[in-house]
Each structure stands twice: as structure tokens, then as C-alpha cells.
Amino acid sequence: MTDGVYCLLVYLMCKSFACRLWEASIIRVRKAGERGHFDHGWLDTYHTFSFGDYYDPAHMGFRSLRVINDDRVQPGQGFGMHGHRDMEIVTYVLDGALQHKDSLGNGSIIRAGELQRMTAGTGVCHSEFNPSDKEWVHLYQIWLLPEHKGLKPSYEELAVGEAQQRGRFRLVASPDGADGSLTIHQDARLYLASLLPGQAVAHPIEPGRAAWLQVLRGSVNLLGYDLSAGDGGAVTDENAISVQAAVPSEVLL
């Protein structure tokens, strides 16, 4: 996972009523320094939207997108067994490795460039742990509201190679698991792309839909807005989104 921009396109249905304040303008930028931040020593975490002890009524999510957490976990540390309900949880590992175990009997190590999807549904417990004794793990966790409550809990993984996403948006999660993507239970689609400096990609936005861009590392230009690591932006009332890399970077859209 070197050289390039990794864009995770969250392509959202507008039926959710969460955080209508974001919808007043075409692009609303959320700067990295405005996010909720907690440094617990073993965990350095940033919250784009309200989460846990961080609460801001103006930032409760964006449509069906409820959580974007940017986490770095110390070697040999992690989240002990804890429970979730009625949420679609997608985890993307940028650097290092993350060990996952859950009450469904799943247990594996997710490495850089790999994703996992967990449908919490009626209830599931899981733990997330950094198995390394020297390397921090850097991950993003994305939560989406499910299409309805009470789904059967389930889990799956996806590895996406650099060649699959170079210069294009590669579908990595969708409602129907199209093109080998993860299956999420919401009318939303996630894409991953890799761009060299100066390279650009575009994606159409159908009427009634919106998109979110989150810069993971480096810097890019989003429809005329320069965004740096940790910055995010909501895109509404546009018929397409375009992203151009300024330097080797990673981005969640």
C-alpha cells in the first residue's frame, strides 16, 4: 500500500434524514482539526462524527453514513470483546495488521489493503487487537445504518490489490455484492481507487444521491477544494465527483 491515493467512495442514498445541516450547500468541508480527538496512549483516535464520549449535534452523520473513525492502535493493544447491534461496520486497514475475533466463530488477521464487513444485526460481540509487538496498526472504521433492524449477524473479508484500483474506482462494498465486493445491507456503495500524483478520477452521482470524501493521508483536490490528511467533505447536488491527487495520498470518499 505505497505510492498513490486510495479513495473509498461512499455512494449514499438520500433517504436518511441524519444531519440535514450538511445538505444546505453543494460541498461542506470538515477540517481534520475539528474532529473529535482522544489520545488514550494505546489508542489515538479521531471521530469525524459523534461517537462515544465525543458528541456534537451538528455532526451526527451524513445520511446513512453514521461513523468514520480514524484509529491508530499501539502494538500488543486493542479493543476487548464488546457488542454491537443494528449497524453495518466496514473496517479498512491502512498500515499494520488487525486481529479480529467474534461471537460468530470468526477469527483472522486483516492486513494493510484488506477490508472486513460485519453486519451486527440482532447482536454480535467482537474484539479487535494489534498482534504486532513493534508496529502500530492504522485503520479506518466506517459504520452505516442498515436498511432495517433485526438482520442476521454475518461477516466477510475482502483483499483488494493495487493493480485492481489503479486509476479507477474499484467497487469494494455494495448491496448485492457486485463484482466480488463486500455485501452491505444498505443502498450505498463503497469504492477504492489508487492515483499517482497529478492523476484524477471521476464518478457520476445519480439524482437523489450524495457522496463523502475523507482524506486519509497526503492531499487531493475535490471539485476545487484542497483537502489534506484528516479533512473530509460532503458532496450534494452535484452530478459527478472528481478527485485529483497532489501527492501520494490515501482518501476515503
mmCIF file of all heavy atoms in Angstrom, residues 6 21-22 48 80 84-85 88 103 128 160 165 185 195 197 203 207 216 228:
data_model
loop_
_atom_site.group_PDB
_atom_site.id
_atom_site.type_symbol
_atom_site.label_atom_id
_atom_site.label_comp_id
_atom_site.label_asym_id
_atom_site.label_seq_id
_atom_site.Cartn_x
_atom_site.Cartn_y
_atom_site.Cartn_z
ATOM 1 N N TYR A 6 -5.742 6.262 -2.270
ATOM 2 C CA TYR A 6 -6.735 5.215 -2.140
ATOM 3 C C TYR A 6 -8.046 5.878 -1.749
ATOM 4 O O TYR A 6 -8.186 6.397 -0.659
ATOM 5 C CB TYR A 6 -6.293 4.197 -1.097
ATOM 6 C CG TYR A 6 -5.001 3.557 -1.489
ATOM 7 C CD1 TYR A 6 -3.792 4.107 -1.111
ATOM 8 C CD2 TYR A 6 -5.001 2.423 -2.299
ATOM 9 C CE1 TYR A 6 -2.600 3.543 -1.508
ATOM 10 C CE2 TYR A 6 -3.819 1.851 -2.694
ATOM 11 C CZ TYR A 6 -2.616 2.401 -2.298
ATOM 12 O OH TYR A 6 -1.441 1.848 -2.689
ATOM 13 N N LEU A 21 -28.041 19.500 8.271
ATOM 14 C CA LEU A 21 -27.243 20.714 8.206
ATOM 15 C C LEU A 21 -26.188 20.629 7.115
ATOM 16 O O LEU A 21 -25.776 21.637 6.537
ATOM 17 C CB LEU A 21 -26.565 20.961 9.569
ATOM 18 C CG LEU A 21 -27.487 21.355 10.722
ATOM 19 C CD1 LEU A 21 -26.679 21.447 12.005
ATOM 20 C CD2 LEU A 21 -28.163 22.683 10.438
ATOM 21 N N TRP A 22 -25.707 19.412 6.810
ATOM 22 C CA TRP A 22 -24.684 19.245 5.787
ATOM 23 C C TRP A 22 -25.229 19.466 4.385
ATOM 24 O O TRP A 22 -24.458 19.651 3.444
ATOM 25 C CB TRP A 22 -24.112 17.832 5.871
ATOM 26 C CG TRP A 22 -23.220 17.645 7.037
ATOM 27 C CD1 TRP A 22 -23.540 17.102 8.252
ATOM 28 C CD2 TRP A 22 -21.838 18.005 7.147
ATOM 29 N NE1 TRP A 22 -22.452 17.102 9.079
ATOM 30 C CE2 TRP A 22 -21.402 17.638 8.429
ATOM 31 C CE3 TRP A 22 -20.927 18.590 6.262
ATOM 32 C CZ2 TRP A 22 -20.097 17.843 8.859
ATOM 33 C CZ3 TRP A 22 -19.626 18.795 6.687
ATOM 34 C CH2 TRP A 22 -19.230 18.434 7.964
ATOM 35 N N THR A 48 -14.888 11.669 12.952
ATOM 36 C CA THR A 48 -15.490 12.648 12.048
ATOM 37 C C THR A 48 -16.893 13.023 12.515
ATOM 38 O O THR A 48 -17.298 14.181 12.445
ATOM 39 C CB THR A 48 -15.546 12.088 10.616
ATOM 40 O OG1 THR A 48 -14.201 11.901 10.148
ATOM 41 C CG2 THR A 48 -16.274 13.030 9.671
ATOM 42 N N GLY A 80 -11.102 -4.865 23.627
ATOM 43 C CA GLY A 80 -11.564 -6.143 24.149
ATOM 44 C C GLY A 80 -12.937 -6.500 23.609
ATOM 45 O O GLY A 80 -13.570 -5.728 22.872
ATOM 46 N N HIS A 84 -22.210 -5.023 19.476
ATOM 47 C CA HIS A 84 -22.851 -4.076 18.557
ATOM 48 C C HIS A 84 -24.195 -4.642 18.127
ATOM 49 O O HIS A 84 -24.393 -5.867 18.113
ATOM 50 C CB HIS A 84 -22.000 -3.839 17.305
ATOM 51 C CG HIS A 84 -20.684 -3.210 17.562
ATOM 52 N ND1 HIS A 84 -20.534 -1.887 17.908
ATOM 53 C CD2 HIS A 84 -19.421 -3.729 17.510
ATOM 54 C CE1 HIS A 84 -19.253 -1.610 18.055
ATOM 55 N NE2 HIS A 84 -18.560 -2.712 17.829
ATOM 56 N N ARG A 85 -25.093 -3.738 17.735
ATOM 57 C CA ARG A 85 -26.392 -4.137 17.192
ATOM 58 C C ARG A 85 -26.765 -3.196 16.054
ATOM 59 O O ARG A 85 -26.418 -2.017 16.064
ATOM 60 C CB ARG A 85 -27.499 -4.064 18.260
ATOM 61 C CG ARG A 85 -27.364 -5.036 19.419
ATOM 62 C CD ARG A 85 -28.504 -4.843 20.406
ATOM 63 N NE ARG A 85 -29.791 -5.172 19.803
ATOM 64 C CZ ARG A 85 -30.344 -6.382 19.860
ATOM 65 N NH1 ARG A 85 -29.731 -7.370 20.487
ATOM 66 N NH2 ARG A 85 -31.506 -6.610 19.292
ATOM 67 N N GLU A 88 -24.036 -1.678 10.048
ATOM 68 C CA GLU A 88 -23.125 -2.250 9.063
ATOM 69 C C GLU A 88 -21.752 -1.641 9.310
ATOM 70 O O GLU A 88 -21.581 -0.419 9.206
ATOM 71 C CB GLU A 88 -23.597 -1.943 7.644
ATOM 72 C CG GLU A 88 -24.960 -2.505 7.282
ATOM 73 C CD GLU A 88 -24.962 -4.022 7.255
ATOM 74 O OE1 GLU A 88 -24.262 -4.608 6.407
ATOM 75 O OE2 GLU A 88 -25.665 -4.623 8.100
ATOM 76 N N SER A 103 -18.230 -13.462 18.104
ATOM 77 C CA SER A 103 -19.102 -14.483 18.681
ATOM 78 C C SER A 103 -19.722 -15.389 17.627
ATOM 79 O O SER A 103 -20.391 -16.362 17.967
ATOM 80 C CB SER A 103 -20.210 -13.813 19.509
ATOM 81 O OG SER A 103 -20.934 -12.873 18.728
ATOM 82 N N GLU A 128 -10.941 -6.521 18.656
ATOM 83 C CA GLU A 128 -10.005 -6.062 17.640
ATOM 84 C C GLU A 128 -8.679 -5.783 18.325
ATOM 85 O O GLU A 128 -8.619 -4.988 19.266
ATOM 86 C CB GLU A 128 -10.540 -4.807 16.957
ATOM 87 C CG GLU A 128 -11.844 -5.029 16.193
ATOM 88 C CD GLU A 128 -12.602 -3.738 15.949
ATOM 89 O OE1 GLU A 128 -12.989 -3.084 16.943
ATOM 90 O OE2 GLU A 128 -12.805 -3.394 14.783
ATOM 91 N N VAL A 160 -8.009 -6.277 -1.651
ATOM 92 C CA VAL A 160 -8.008 -5.547 -2.912
ATOM 93 C C VAL A 160 -6.566 -5.203 -3.272
ATOM 94 O O VAL A 160 -5.901 -4.476 -2.545
ATOM 95 C CB VAL A 160 -8.847 -4.255 -2.824
ATOM 96 C CG1 VAL A 160 -8.827 -3.523 -4.154
ATOM 97 C CG2 VAL A 160 -10.270 -4.574 -2.413
ATOM 98 N N GLN A 165 -7.150 -1.277 -8.486
ATOM 99 C CA GLN A 165 -7.715 0.038 -8.197
ATOM 100 C C GLN A 165 -6.904 1.198 -8.757
ATOM 101 O O GLN A 165 -7.233 2.357 -8.545
ATOM 102 C CB GLN A 165 -7.832 0.209 -6.673
ATOM 103 C CG GLN A 165 -6.498 0.079 -5.945
ATOM 104 C CD GLN A 165 -6.643 -0.403 -4.519
ATOM 105 O OE1 GLN A 165 -7.437 -1.294 -4.232
ATOM 106 N NE2 GLN A 165 -5.887 0.191 -3.625
ATOM 107 N N HIS A 185 -25.859 -4.179 3.884
ATOM 108 C CA HIS A 185 -27.321 -4.150 3.889
ATOM 109 C C HIS A 185 -27.817 -2.713 3.987
ATOM 110 O O HIS A 185 -28.444 -2.296 4.960
ATOM 111 C CB HIS A 185 -27.845 -5.015 5.030
ATOM 112 C CG HIS A 185 -27.411 -6.449 4.908
ATOM 113 N ND1 HIS A 185 -26.219 -6.899 5.431
ATOM 114 C CD2 HIS A 185 -28.001 -7.510 4.306
ATOM 115 C CE1 HIS A 185 -26.092 -8.192 5.161
ATOM 116 N NE2 HIS A 185 -27.153 -8.582 4.478
ATOM 117 N N LEU A 195 -4.376 6.530 -7.064
ATOM 118 C CA LEU A 195 -3.961 7.567 -8.005
ATOM 119 C C LEU A 195 -2.524 7.984 -7.759
ATOM 120 O O LEU A 195 -2.110 8.141 -6.613
ATOM 121 C CB LEU A 195 -4.847 8.807 -7.870
ATOM 122 C CG LEU A 195 -6.341 8.647 -8.103
ATOM 123 C CD1 LEU A 195 -7.055 9.963 -7.798
ATOM 124 C CD2 LEU A 195 -6.617 8.221 -9.525
ATOM 125 N N PRO A 197 0.403 11.012 -8.184
ATOM 126 C CA PRO A 197 0.327 12.477 -8.152
ATOM 127 C C PRO A 197 -0.032 13.053 -9.511
ATOM 128 O O PRO A 197 0.551 12.678 -10.537
ATOM 129 C CB PRO A 197 1.739 12.887 -7.715
ATOM 130 C CG PRO A 197 2.216 11.733 -6.898
ATOM 131 C CD PRO A 197 1.660 10.511 -7.581
ATOM 132 N N HIS A 203 -16.477 10.126 -10.925
ATOM 133 C CA HIS A 203 -17.558 9.160 -10.775
ATOM 134 C C HIS A 203 -18.885 9.905 -10.825
ATOM 135 O O HIS A 203 -19.043 10.941 -10.174
ATOM 136 C CB HIS A 203 -17.433 8.421 -9.438
ATOM 137 C CG HIS A 203 -18.279 7.186 -9.355
ATOM 138 N ND1 HIS A 203 -19.638 7.233 -9.149
ATOM 139 C CD2 HIS A 203 -17.962 5.876 -9.460
ATOM 140 C CE1 HIS A 203 -20.122 5.996 -9.121
ATOM 141 N NE2 HIS A 203 -19.122 5.155 -9.308
ATOM 142 N N PRO A 207 -29.140 11.378 -9.590
ATOM 143 C CA PRO A 207 -30.070 12.271 -8.903
ATOM 144 C C PRO A 207 -30.566 11.645 -7.600
ATOM 145 O O PRO A 207 -30.888 10.456 -7.555
ATOM 146 C CB PRO A 207 -31.206 12.446 -9.907
ATOM 147 C CG PRO A 207 -30.561 12.222 -11.246
ATOM 148 C CD PRO A 207 -29.535 11.160 -11.013
ATOM 149 N N LEU A 216 -7.284 10.337 3.906
ATOM 150 C CA LEU A 216 -6.611 9.502 4.892
ATOM 151 C C LEU A 216 -5.166 9.932 5.092
ATOM 152 O O LEU A 216 -4.689 10.013 6.226
ATOM 153 C CB LEU A 216 -6.678 8.032 4.460
ATOM 154 C CG LEU A 216 -8.061 7.494 4.103
ATOM 155 C CD1 LEU A 216 -7.976 6.028 3.729
ATOM 156 C CD2 LEU A 216 -9.044 7.706 5.250
ATOM 157 N N SER A 228 -6.480 18.086 2.945
ATOM 158 C CA SER A 228 -5.298 17.414 3.470
ATOM 159 C C SER A 228 -5.708 16.275 4.386
ATOM 160 O O SER A 228 -6.898 16.074 4.656
ATOM 161 C CB SER A 228 -4.420 18.414 4.227
ATOM 162 O OG SER A 228 -3.981 19.444 3.350
#
